[in-house]
């Protein structure tokens, strides 16, 4: 190696481009994190149930998951810097829609635009880091994305909670807009790249995977509203008496299999698939994907459940939600930042199994100790323990997915990671809502049937087929329109409060069971290999 080559090797690039990429990750994560905090305000403003408002979270996740593979190919074809700037502008427009939205439909559309933009930002971050940094700087830049995601969760809950309590939920999206503007201007510090017009997009594969993800998520999100098996009266239609929700789930699974079959067929014929299935060729790589799906789904479920209960059930402020979630989010941030120091001493297998054990123990513990007061020491301890496991897993699985496959497959690994992460977030939120409402309905139905203090004529005046989470004041208002006596109203409120708490406890216990299942794929995680992700020029179109 000549002296000139040595100088080139040790030459450090400016960190200014990373500031823009770091803020781009903050932009996406902050936008998603403020949605649960805004839950109560949006429900009040739009006059819809919380499960409808949660569709904003689901829509964002679905858009990213359905389009991220196409987004990766578009970036390679058009050029990462150019398309990065375009979608950041679109993301800014989505925040304006949230600011002025007159109905929940506008909010859902705004999050659909944000999700479509993020579908390109997600793979662009990895590609642009590879374009602008090498060696240890590149590893540091990749690690910063995990920290950005964690710190966004903390700041979103604190800032969003304070604004939601004292001003309203809308002003928080001014911050989202400001972040998008900052990212756009920092993008001019990024090293220019040229697109590759020879990159081809597998349109059939894109339709298969996009339709599969949309059907799966919409199906899961409406299992409660439309019926788990048989169609309920609220369902828009029925298929031979079956709920359209379960039909969508089945069709989504079928189309997912069609995508895999089609991709294998194209690969055998020497044609470029939408994503190379070689990145899922070993049990280690599949284990990393399974682990990521479960850990992100658990986080999404908890981030939906706690604000739902505090704001909607207890009628408390977004700031109360922020303070209740602060131990969890702060722990995730700290652990996600520091866990990399344990990689040289412990294998991903050991860290993964230990972390999923912690999340399981924490969720089971919360199921037994949670009460109507989230500020108790046992509850805070449970959230902190869950945050330790969650924070370690978020960073661990990201690094494993980047390093478990050959360098030339990094682009495909990024697509799989983006699809898995955002589909899991959407499904986790949807399943949490459906699961809790279903359990609540069963609890209330059983309690009413076994309670002699509530006469049948009062029960007949209340629609028990459309049970949802409401505060005690809202329930009293509904019962005020019936001929219930004051004593009967008090008893109905007491039954509802008990049913809500039992639904929460059982929901947390079920989440703990899901977490325990994740220990199985965690035992197959690979050994950590500190390696460098490839530059886009080295990734061949396949």
């Amino acid at each position: 190696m000549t002296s000139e080559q040595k100088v080139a090797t040790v030459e450090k690039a400016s960190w200014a481009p990373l500031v823009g990429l770091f803020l781009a990750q903050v932009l996406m994560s902050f936008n998603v994190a403020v949605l649960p905090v805004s839950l109560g305000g949006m429900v009040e403003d739009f006059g819809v149930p919380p499960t409808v408002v949660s569709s904003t979270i689901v829509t964002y996740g679905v858009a990213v998951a359905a389009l991220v593979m196409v987004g990766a190919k578009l970036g390679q074809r058009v050029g990462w810097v150019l398309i990065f700037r375009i979608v950041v502008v679109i993301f800014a427009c989505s925040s304006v829609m949230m600011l002025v939205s007159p109905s929940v439909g506008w909010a859902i559309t705004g999050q659909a635009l944000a999700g479509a933009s993020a579908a390109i930002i997600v793979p662009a971050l990895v590609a642009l880091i590879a374009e602008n940094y090498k060696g240890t700087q590149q590893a540091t830049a990749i690690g910063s994305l995990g920290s950005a995601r964690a710190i966004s969760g903390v700041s979103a809950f604190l800032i969003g909670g304070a604004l939601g309590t004292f001003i309203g939920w809308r002003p928080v999206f001014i911050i989202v807009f400001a972040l998008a503007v900052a990212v756009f201007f920092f993008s001019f510090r990024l090293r220019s790249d040229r697109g590759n017009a020879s990159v081809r997009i597998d349109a059939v594969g894109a339709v298969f995977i996009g339709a599969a993800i949309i059907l799966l998520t919409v199906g899961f999100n409406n299992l409660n509203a439309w019926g788990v098996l048989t169609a309920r009266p609220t369902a828009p239609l029925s298929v031979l008496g079956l709920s359209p929700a379960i039909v969508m789930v089945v069709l989504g699974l079928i189309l997912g299999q069609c995508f895999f079959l089609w991709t294998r067929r194209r690969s055998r014929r020497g044609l470029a698939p939408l994503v190379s299935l070689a990145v899922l060729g070993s049990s280690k790589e599949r284990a990393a994907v399974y682990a990521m799906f479960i850990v992100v789904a658990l986080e999404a479920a908890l981030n939906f459940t706690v604000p739902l209960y505090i704001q909607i059930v207890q009628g408390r402020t977004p700031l109360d939600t922020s303070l209740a979630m602060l131990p969890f989010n702060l722990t995730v941030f700290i652990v996600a930042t520091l866990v990399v120091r344990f990689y040289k001493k412990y294998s991903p297998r050991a860290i993964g199994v230990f972390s999923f054990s912690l999340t399981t123990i924490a969720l089971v513990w919360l199921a037994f100790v949670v009460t109507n007061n989230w500020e108790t020491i046992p509850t805070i301890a449970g959230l902190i323990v869950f945050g330790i496991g969650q924070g370690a897993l978020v960073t661990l699985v990201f690094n494993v997915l980047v390093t478990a496959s050959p360098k030339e497959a990094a682009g495909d690994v990024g697509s799989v990671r983006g699809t898995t992460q955002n589909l899991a977030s959407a499904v986790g939120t949807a399943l949490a809502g459906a699961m809790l409402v279903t359990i609540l309905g069963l609890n209330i139905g059983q309690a009413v049937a076994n309670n002699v203090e509530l006469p049948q004529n009062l029960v007949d005046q209340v629609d028990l087929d459309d049970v949802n989470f409401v505060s005690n004041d809202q329930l009293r208002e509904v019962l005020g329109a019936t001929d219930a006596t004051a004593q009967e109203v008090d008893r109905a409120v007491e039954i509802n409060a008990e049913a809500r708490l039992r639904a929460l406890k059982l929901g947390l216990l079920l989440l703990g069971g899901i977490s325990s299942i994740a220990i199985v794929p965690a035992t197959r995680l690979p050994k950590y290999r500190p390696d460098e992700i490839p530059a886009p020029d080295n990734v061949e179109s396949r």
Side-chain angles (χ1 to χ4, degrees), residues 188-376:
F188 290 93
R189 299 297 303 271
L190 294 169
R191 182 181 300 167
S192 300
D193 66 326
R194 291 178 297 176
N196 183 359
S198 66
V199 173
R200 295 291 179 263
I201 298 175
D202 176 13
V204 176
V207 171
F208 275 144
I209 192 64
I213 289 171
I214 291 172
L215 286 171
L216 283 170
T217 309
V218 173
F220 278 120
N221 196 39
N222 289 282
L223 282 174
N224 177 70
W226 297 346
V228 177
L229 288 176
T230 58
R232 297 179 59 178
T234 52
L237 54 89
S238 65
V239 182
L240 300 178
L242 292 175
S243 166
I246 192 64
V247 173
M248 285 183 171
V249 171
V250 173
L251 288 177
L253 293 173
I254 293 173
L255 288 178
Q257 290 300 313
C258 290
F259 168 76
F260 286 111
L261 291 173
W262 173 260
T263 301
R264 292 190 183 99
R265 179 173 178 266
R266 285 183 65 88
S267 298
R268 285 195 301 266
R269 296 174 60 185
L271 300 174
L274 190 64
V275 63
S276 174
L277 296 183
V279 299
L280 300 176
S282 75
S283 60
K284 295 178 180 179
E285 291 153 345
R286 290 192 294 272
V289 172
Y290 297 150
M292 167 161 276
F293 187 92
I294 294 175
V295 71
V296 174
L298 288 174
E299 181 183 24
L302 190 68
N303 278 332
F304 171 76
T305 301
V306 176
L308 167 74
Y309 200 82
I310 293 178
Q311 292 186 51
I312 305 303
V313 173
Q314 297 179 328
R316 301 173 69 179
T317 66
L319 183 59
D320 292 324
T321 302
S322 302
L323 295 176
M325 291 297 291
L326 182 61
F328 166 69
N329 285 295
L330 194 58
T331 304
V332 170
F333 166 61
I334 294 172
V335 176
T337 305
L338 299 179
V339 70
V340 292
R341 300 187 179 185
F342 294 91
Y343 288 172
K344 293 183 179 179
K345 188 174 182 180
Y346 301 102
S347 69
R349 182 173 303 171
I351 297 175
V353 171
F354 178 74
S355 298
F356 272 121
S357 298
L358 283 182
T359 57
T360 301
I361 293 170
L363 288 168
V364 173
W365 169 261
L366 286 171
F368 284 98
V369 303
V370 71
T371 64
N372 288 324
N373 182 8
W374 284 89
E375 285 79 22
T376 63

Side-chain angles (χ1 to χ4, degrees), residues 330-475:
L330 194 58
T331 304
V332 170
F333 166 61
I334 294 172
V335 176
T337 305
L338 299 179
V339 70
V340 292
R341 300 187 179 185
F342 294 91
Y343 288 172
K344 293 183 179 179
K345 188 174 182 180
Y346 301 102
S347 69
R349 182 173 303 171
I351 297 175
V353 171
F354 178 74
S355 298
F356 272 121
S357 298
L358 283 182
T359 57
T360 301
I361 293 170
L363 288 168
V364 173
W365 169 261
L366 286 171
F368 284 98
V369 303
V370 71
T371 64
N372 288 324
N373 182 8
W374 284 89
E375 285 79 22
T376 63
I377 292 179
T379 302
I380 294 174
L383 290 173
I384 290 175
V385 173
F386 185 83
I388 294 173
Q390 185 78 20
L393 288 165
V394 165
T395 302
L396 170 73
V397 181
F398 175 78
N399 278 281
V400 167
L401 285 173
V402 171
T403 60
S405 297
K407 286 185 177 183
E408 61 271 14
D412 294 312
V413 170
S415 295
V416 171
R417 169 185 170 266
T419 301
T420 302
Q421 189 173 24
N422 289 281
L423 178 61
S425 179
V427 171
T429 302
L431 280 179
M435 177 180 65
L436 290 174
V437 171
T438 299
I439 296 172
L440 176 66
L442 293 173
N443 287 344
I444 290 180
Q446 184 179 17
V448 169
N450 296 333
N451 195 289
V452 296
E453 298 178 35
L454 298 180
Q456 186 60 42
N457 66 321
L458 174 60
V459 175
D460 292 339
Q461 297 177 60
V462 181
D463 185 10
L464 294 180
D465 292 328
D466 190 23
V467 173
N468 213 315
F469 282 87
V470 295
S471 66
N472 291 342
D473 291 339
Q474 289 174 314
L475 180 59

